[in-house]
Amino acid sequence: MSPIVEELKFDQTNLEPCTKALQDAVNNNKRLRSISIKDCPLALGAMTQLLNAIYYHPAIKSVDFNTAKIPNQELNSIGEPIGKLLLANAQITALRFPCALSPENIASLKVGLDANTSLEFLGMEVFEDANNDAFYFTRTNTSAHLRDMFLSNKGLREILIRLSDCENGLNEQLLDSIAKSTSIESLTIENLSAGKPINHSLAHKDSIKHLNLKMKFDDHLDMEFGIKRLFQEFHTSEGLENLANELSDNKNLLSFNLTVGPNEDPQR
């Protein structure tokens, strides 16, 4: 009931026993503008309940639970409450979350993004849906939903995507989908493959003015060996040369950043 607290920010805090208290805090404090949950263990269903609590919240504009430790079972269905939030909440401008690329999630996110007019920043850490193989997506509308996920949204200005390590082609489909966005100006792609640094559609996307690519090698590898191996991959696949050639024709690009290093370690 605080009259002055406008931001809740948790970092590496065990929130598993606090689900009810967290939901009450969000429900009761109508001044809250921002919620951030990073590296916090959450009980099964807790994130869904929290999202349900802010569907019609009058002040919240930013929600970030990208690195929250959500049970895998919930990751496969988290798209539904996120899609409903995008449908119901007219003032959300920034949203970052982890999400499995399940058919249900993809369909829900597409509906929410199609209808939303206020969202400016979207961050997604995507995971492979272990319940379905690549052939399943071709037999359903999932590929079509994924292909056009960002097509109808006209408000997004910045997208951050952390790709999964899946080999079923969903990463490429997701990047092709982003390339169809008509409003995107800033794009960050993390966990990018050295062999396929960026696809043709994104490299030639006229609306993108700021492009950030982040490539990593395994944490257990020695730094020097990892860098050498990465550029060997570049050389073998001609990835670096192709990347330069692709971007050379984009005259609207104002900034480009390529980060190479171990996973999530800014000190190295």
Side-chain angles (χ1 to χ4, degrees):
M1 304 300 292
S2 169
I4 59 174
V5 173
E6 296 184 356
E7 177 180 350
L8 291 181
K9 188 173 184 180
F10 298 95
D11 191 357
Q12 296 181 338
T13 305
N14 184 10
L15 298 178
E16 285 193 55
C18 308
T19 301
K20 181 65 164 59
L22 184 61
Q23 185 175 354
D24 287 345
V26 174
N27 276 332
N28 294 331
N29 189 335
K30 301 305 181 184
R31 297 174 61 89
L32 280 178
R33 298 170 60 86
S34 174
I35 300 175
S36 177
I37 299 174
K38 296 181 180 295
D39 297 318
C40 298
L42 293 168
L44 180 64
M47 197 65 234
T48 297
Q49 293 176 31
L50 182 60
L51 288 168
N52 292 341
I54 61 177
Y55 282 171
Y56 303 103
H57 197 286
I60 287 179
K61 291 189 174 183
S62 175
V63 181
D64 184 349
F65 60 100
N66 183 61
T67 54
K69 297 177 181 177
I70 300 171
N72 290 335
Q73 180 181 346
E74 190 171 5
L75 282 178
N76 278 334
S77 59
I78 198 70
E80 181 177 355
I82 293 173
K84 289 181 177 178
L85 175 65
L86 292 173
L87 281 170
N89 197 309
Q91 78 272 348
I92 290 283
T93 60
L95 179 60
R96 189 171 180 183
F97 56 91
C99 182
L101 289 179
S102 66
E104 295 80 8
N105 282 348
I106 292 172
S108 296
L109 289 174
K110 183 182 185 304
V111 171
L113 289 170
D114 282 349
N116 188 274
T117 58
S118 60
L119 195 66
E120 297 177 2
F121 168 79
L122 176 70
M124 289 177 61
E125 180 180 9
V126 299
F127 296 92
E128 184 176 9
D129 177 18
N131 297 325
N132 300 295
D133 56 34
F135 296 103
Y136 178 83
F137 288 86
T138 62
R139 295 195 301 267
T140 66
N141 290 329
T142 302
S143 289
H145 290 158
L146 181 59
R147 184 174 60 246
D148 296 333
M149 182 183 293
F150 299 94
L151 184 61
S152 299
N153 189 290
K154 307 300 181 185
L156 275 173
R157 296 291 180 268
E158 182 176 0
I159 296 178
L160 184 155
I161 295 291
R162 181 173 178 80
L163 300 174
S164 69
D165 294 322
C166 66
E167 299 293 337
N168 58 9
L170 289 182
N171 284 342
E172 289 75 13
Q173 292 184 48
L174 183 59
L175 295 181
D176 284 337
S177 176
I178 294 173
K180 292 185 177 182
S181 169
T182 58
S183 57
I184 174 71
E185 296 178 355
S186 177
L187 175 63
T188 298
I189 308 174
E190 298 182 351
N191 201 26
L192 197 60
S193 166
K196 298 178 181 179
I198 191 172
N199 64 28
H200 178 81
S201 299
L202 280 176
H204 292 264
K205 183 68 177 175
D206 290 339
S207 66
I208 296 179
K209 297 179 174 62
H210 309 282
L211 180 61
N212 305 292
L213 305 181
K214 297 185 179 183
M215 302 178 185
K216 75 175 183 71
F217 51 81
D218 295 335
D219 289 336
H220 68 274
L221 293 177
D222 173 76
M223 178 70 168
E224 182 178 358
F225 175 76
I227 291 290
K228 286 181 178 178
R229 193 187 74 166
L230 184 72
F231 280 92
Q232 284 173 353
E233 289 184 35
F234 265 137
H235 178 72
T236 302
S237 64
E238 298 181 336
L240 187 58
E241 182 179 356
N242 289 338
L243 176 61
N245 290 336
E246 290 280 13
L247 293 175
S248 64
D249 293 330
N250 191 333
K251 306 306 180 184
N252 292 324
L253 204 61
L254 300 179
S255 67
F256 171 72
N257 182 53
L258 174 62
T259 303
V260 178
N263 184 25
E264 303 299 333
D265 189 353
Q267 299 303 320
R268 297 176 64 188

